[in-house]
Amino acid sequence: MLRRRDLLLSALAAASLPALPVTARAQTPLTPLPPAGTPRLPPDFLWGASTSAYQIEGAVAEGGRKPSIWDVFSHTPGRIADGTNGDVACDHYNRYADDVALMGDLGLQAYRFSIAWPRVMPDGTGAVNAAGLDFYDRLVDALLARGIQPMACLYHWDLPQALQERGGWHNRDIADWFADYARASVRRLGDRVKPWAMLNEPSVHAIFGHGFGNHAPGLTGWDSYVKAQHHLNLAQGTGIAAVRAERSDLKLGTVLSLQPIFPSSQDAADITAAARFDACWNTINLDPLFHGRYPALFADDFAPLIKSGDMETIHAPVDFLGVNYYGPSYIKHDPAAFLAQASWGAVPADTPHTLLGWPISAQGMVDVLTRLRDDYGNPPVFITENGACYEDPAPVDGVVQDPERTEYFRAHLVAAGEAIAQGCALKGYYAWSLLDNFEWAEGERRRFGMVRVDFATQQRTPKQSGLYLSQLMKAHGSGKAP
Ligand code: GCO
């Protein structure tokens, strides 16, 4: 392990800001960034990185953990593009100490991780598994020892399979099950972990996991999506209430995937489809959380599920909002699509995109943040995920040259500075992701890390993008608590 850290430290020492704009792969050593391209952010801006439990921990049967819906889904033939699963992933459960040392060497000020419900309550409800919480104790203590602020996300899609067998997100009781789990986690860790996010991307989990079926638990259809989405919103509210009652010294929020939605053409049908998709992806979470109501477009669809007090519970004040931003979507009318007769359509010619075909627009991040400023009360915001997938080359002299990802980070951090200059309450940025990891239905083949993981050997190798972020973090001074 020492050798690996030497590699990183020597790479950090040798690295200077990369040459930009980057188009061809940079085979030469990094060269200083032109000042004009350097992100300018406030000295108290918080710099971090994000991961999630199922994507990095592995050790799926260690420490009392029982299966989650993603264990079942990833072991179902044909569900994962490269046939991999999260059984080992980055083996972070066993390698957390080295990974925290890596974070410290990079100069991370904060780290957003998720807690695995199946470790804390392996049966979903009832007995708390002390050994499961012991792991997060160790992780949090290691982070604090390196001066890295932990942010815990309580639910990043890995529902205990035992709860799926009781209806999962289609069962309204899950709001109380989640509150119990949240309470147990905060009781153990709340003395040291202050920012807590309830959920990760509820609309994505509802759409992909309960509508398209290409994510766990693999359910499909509009009614399935609507039911899951309402109960996710409700659980977010019951979770906040339970945790607020547990401790008064925490910062509570949630994490939403937000993106600008454009019609693929100026045809009326595409414009309508884009508005419907915006409601299903963005405002289906924003409007209940900040306004206590569902978007008018779908109020009738959700009405039958709403019981007295639900919207008040969901409309719980938050101390911060986590925003996962990757890029815009271009949407067309699609009569066959389960989701509001809308699906992804043509993208303007020459739109830059990542290996996954996701359009790239740093301006889109400014647009998302100014929408929160103008329409949702300008809440304190952290970008809790932002990153890009590219085909990375093999390491050269102990560093992976990933100029496209470096440019992606640079452009979005310049946009972050622009959003702050326009009055958005942006307080920090967590890059997705610290490590290459299990990228859900794509498996291990699709890489987002600022640090490369060789899944055969578990070797961590810094990438140019991680060294670039490291230079920026160290140049911007220390972040403050959220
Ligand atoms: C998401 C999830 C992450 C993904 C990342 C890249 O936003 O889908 O929060 O777990 O891995 O976004 O797809």
Side-chain angles (χ1 to χ4, degrees), residues 164 169-170 205-213 216-217 219-221 224-225 228:
Q164 189 59 39
W169 290 104
H170 285 169
H205 193 44
I207 291 169
F208 287 177
H210 301 79
F212 282 123
L219 303 178
T220 58
S224 167
Y225 151 73

Side-chain angles (χ1 to χ4, degrees), residues 69-123:
I69 56 175
W70 268 97
D71 296 81
V72 172
F73 192 80
S74 66
H75 281 265
T76 305
R79 289 298 203 175
I80 309 299
D82 63 359
T84 59
N85 54 57
D87 288 2
V88 178
C90 306
D91 194 27
H92 179 72
Y93 181 87
N94 294 302
R95 297 168 187 267
Y96 75 92
D98 279 339
D99 288 335
V100 170
L102 181 60
M103 294 180 218
D105 294 342
L106 284 167
L108 286 184
Q109 293 146 8
Y111 175 57
R112 171 195 172 229
F113 63 96
S114 79
I115 296 173
W117 191 338
R119 291 196 188 281
V120 176
M121 287 184 168
D123 297 315

Side-chain angles (χ1 to χ4, degrees), residues 55 156-157 200-201 324 326 358 385 432 439-440 448:
Q55 292 180 274
H156 202 125
W157 305 352
N200 176 74
E201 301 194 355
N324 292 353
Y326 288 91
W358 299 2
E385 288 182 27
W432 183 270
E439 176 50 35
W440 306 117
F448 278 83

Side-chain angles (χ1 to χ4, degrees), residues 32 34 36 76 94-96 138 143 161 223 252 259 298 326 362 481:
T76 305
N94 294 302
R95 297 168 187 267
Y96 75 92
R138 296 192 295 273
L143 290 165
Q161 178 61 23
D223 292 345
L252 306 184
Q259 46 181 274
F298 299 117
Y326 288 91

Side-chain angles (χ1 to χ4, degrees), residues 6 57 90 123 139 209 230 236 293 319 327 334 348 372 379 383 394 466:
D6 284 349
E57 285 181 1
C90 306
D123 297 315
L139 173 63
H230 179 60
Q236 185 175 277
R293 64 174 183 270
D319 302 306
D334 177 355
L372 292 172
I383 294 294

